[in-house]
Amino acid sequence: MISIQQLSKVYPSKQGDVVGVDDVTLSIEKGEIFGIVGYSGAGKSTLLRCMNILERPTSGKVVIDGIDLLSLSGKKLREARQSIGMIFQGFHLAMSKTVVDNVAFALKASGVKKDERRERSLELLELVGLSDKAHQYPAQLSGGQKQRVSIARALANDPKVLLCDEATSALDPNTTKSILQLLKRINEKLGLTIVLITHEMEVVKDICHRCAVMEEGRVVEQGRTYDMFAFPKEELTKRFIQTVLDFHIPEALLEQSSGSVVHLTFAGEVAGQSIVSDLLQSHPVKANILHGKVDYIQDKALGTFVMDLSGTKEAVEEAINSLRKTLNDVEVWRDGFTDHSLARAK
Ligand SMILES: Nc1ncnc2c1ncn2[C@@H]1O[C@H](COP(=O)(O)OP(=O)(O)OP(=O)(O)O)[C@@H](O)[C@H]1O
Ligand SMILES: [Mg+2]
């Protein structure tokens, strides 16, 4: 649906060139919710603005639904842009227009008749759950309601793609959830392709099928959201997923352990198996659970366990080796038999 090929955007300045986006290649499937995460200044907004040629890339290609956007100009480009809706952190609503007129205005440019504009706008407000606010002004709405209006407005021209730049960053956690659920519903109901930029991995975890991590204008890692959480490769990706999966075990508790402290990740098929109880039956070790959690990412389980395994040195070592045979990720955070000061691996 969206193919970005070797896209770069350089801003020349007296102090030297600033690279906004650096040689990015991405392909986003039809009907997919694709997340782009990165810290401030990573180039997320620049990349998004290049996707609808709000910003002209310095080099590279943007192909949406088979149309090479950079080969278009004038009226043709404006027409192509109508199939790309966009929403922002700051909502960008016209404060002097009512809610329904804000939505209807988006249809004016595409030559829809007045009655039809109104009817379609009311339908869209119903879709986003705001029918009762149609005749109010944006100033009378909460942040979440304002974002619903801008979503309705972005959907006015039946876009194929919806680009969202930090659409939930100004909202509280509950309102964020409800806006994300709305985006998910629209994605499923209308088959809309959604590109979602955020600095919160939690947002990605909630609704994105796939995602990319950006740093200094480049995409450093991309893949299915579940795989990024379960098998991250890059340090930066690990830092982002830790914001969601992280937990803290007091150092004193680790020091008190009578054996080895191991950190286990249960991903994919093994997430549903009884590995720990099997281990305890087949090895003469005891397990004291220090932490246990199952996250559901795209409806798949990802388990994290920290256990204190005690027993003889040989039994504990054999137990850890046997865990390593079934699990991809077994980290020994404290080896109670060789060195008590061994720091946690991460
Ligand atoms: N119009 C511009 N002129 C010059 N430099 C720019 C311009 N827009 C962006 N940049 C630079 O490009 C880089 C990427 O900026 P961008 O706004 O895309 O980052 P971002 O990932 O969206 O950050 P944030 O999370 O803060 O919104 C930054 O170094 C920024 O200073
Ligand atoms: Mg930005």
Side-chain angles (χ1 to χ4, degrees), residues 231-300:
F231 318 109
K233 292 187 194 77
E234 299 295 325
E235 259 330 293
L236 182 62
T237 313
K238 288 181 189 169
R239 256 192 281 153
F240 270 107
I241 64 165
Q242 265 171 27
T243 60
V244 177
L245 303 181
D246 208 18
F247 56 89
H248 177 72
I249 296 176
E251 214 54 49
L253 207 68
L254 289 177
E255 275 163 25
Q256 277 165 25
S257 92
S258 48
S260 286
V261 177
V262 289
H263 172 274
L264 314 174
T265 304
F266 293 74
E269 285 174 8
V270 295
Q273 296 171 13
S274 53
I275 289 171
V276 175
S277 59
D278 290 354
L279 179 85
L280 297 178
Q281 276 181 10
S282 56
H283 293 80
V285 291
K286 283 191 171 160
N288 179 21
I289 307 270
L290 303 179
H291 168 90
K293 185 175 176 225
V294 180
D295 283 277
Y296 290 92
I297 299 158
Q298 296 288 301
D299 294 331
K300 279 207 289 186

Side-chain angles (χ1 to χ4, degrees), residues 100-153:
V100 67
D101 286 344
N102 260 282
V103 181
F105 188 69
L107 288 162
K108 205 171 176 183
S110 35
V112 180
K113 288 205 189 76
K114 197 170 176 192
D115 286 351
E116 213 178 302
R117 290 205 295 263
R118 203 167 180 81
E119 198 178 319
R120 172 99 182 109
S121 303
L122 290 170
E123 272 170 29
L124 286 162
L125 288 172
E126 191 172 344
L127 177 74
V128 301
L130 265 193
S131 296
D132 56 332
K133 304 285 183 196
H135 305 294
Q136 302 211 338
Y137 287 87
Q140 296 168 289
L141 305 182
S142 70
Q145 290 165 342
K146 282 184 200 148
Q147 197 55 292
R148 285 172 192 268
V149 180
S150 65
I151 293 172
R153 183 186 53 187

Side-chain angles (χ1 to χ4, degrees), residues 11-12 18-21 38-47 49 55 165-166 197 199:
Y11 298 103
V18 177
V19 180
V21 175
Y39 292 122
S40 189
K44 309 179 296 293
S45 298
T46 308
L47 177 61
R49 286 200 302 271
E55 192 111 59
D165 192 350
E166 302 278 5
I197 276 179
H199 58 270

Side-chain angles (χ1 to χ4, degrees), residues 22-206:
D22 187 5
D23 194 21
V24 166
T25 297
L26 274 183
S27 100
I28 299 170
E29 305 297 324
K30 186 172 163 41
E32 185 167 55
I33 305 182
F34 192 93
I36 300 175
V37 271
Y39 292 122
S40 189
K44 309 179 296 293
S45 298
T46 308
L47 177 61
L48 205 71
R49 286 200 302 271
C50 285
M51 284 191 201
N52 61 358
I53 324 297
L54 224 57
E55 192 111 59
R56 257 197 126 69
T58 311
S59 59
K61 248 184 168 184
V62 180
V63 182
I64 294 191
D65 207 16
I67 300 169
D68 179 353
L69 292 188
L70 290 167
S71 70
L72 307 177
S73 60
K75 190 163 174 270
K76 285 243 160 65
L77 180 59
R78 279 198 298 280
E79 276 170 14
R81 271 212 195 105
Q82 286 199 343
S83 66
I84 311 169
M86 191 156 180
I87 58 172
F88 306 89
Q89 177 175 356
F91 321 126
H92 297 200
L93 299 175
M95 300 307 274
S96 61
K97 285 187 167 54
T98 60
V99 163
V100 67
D101 286 344
N102 260 282
V103 181
F105 188 69
L107 288 162
K108 205 171 176 183
S110 35
V112 180
K113 288 205 189 76
K114 197 170 176 192
D115 286 351
E116 213 178 302
R117 290 205 295 263
R118 203 167 180 81
E119 198 178 319
R120 172 99 182 109
S121 303
L122 290 170
E123 272 170 29
L124 286 162
L125 288 172
E126 191 172 344
L127 177 74
V128 301
L130 265 193
S131 296
D132 56 332
K133 304 285 183 196
H135 305 294
Q136 302 211 338
Y137 287 87
Q140 296 168 289
L141 305 182
S142 70
Q145 290 165 342
K146 282 184 200 148
Q147 197 55 292
R148 285 172 192 268
V149 180
S150 65
I151 293 172
R153 183 186 53 187
L155 296 178
N157 289 304
D158 266 330
K160 297 180 186 118
V161 174
L162 180 64
L163 306 177
C164 312
D165 192 350
E166 302 278 5
T168 58
S169 298
L171 307 174
D172 66 57
N174 269 336
T175 314
T176 293
K177 288 255 181 235
S178 75
I179 293 292
L180 294 179
Q181 286 316 307
L182 172 63
L183 291 176
K184 193 170 169 182
R185 194 156 55 82
I186 290 167
N187 160 259
E188 285 165 2
K189 191 169 172 182
L190 311 177
L192 193 70
T193 307
I194 298 181
V195 185
L196 204 147
I197 276 179
T198 179
H199 58 270
E200 292 172 284
M201 204 61 189
E202 187 77 37
V203 167
V204 172
K205 179 192 163 218
D206 278 357

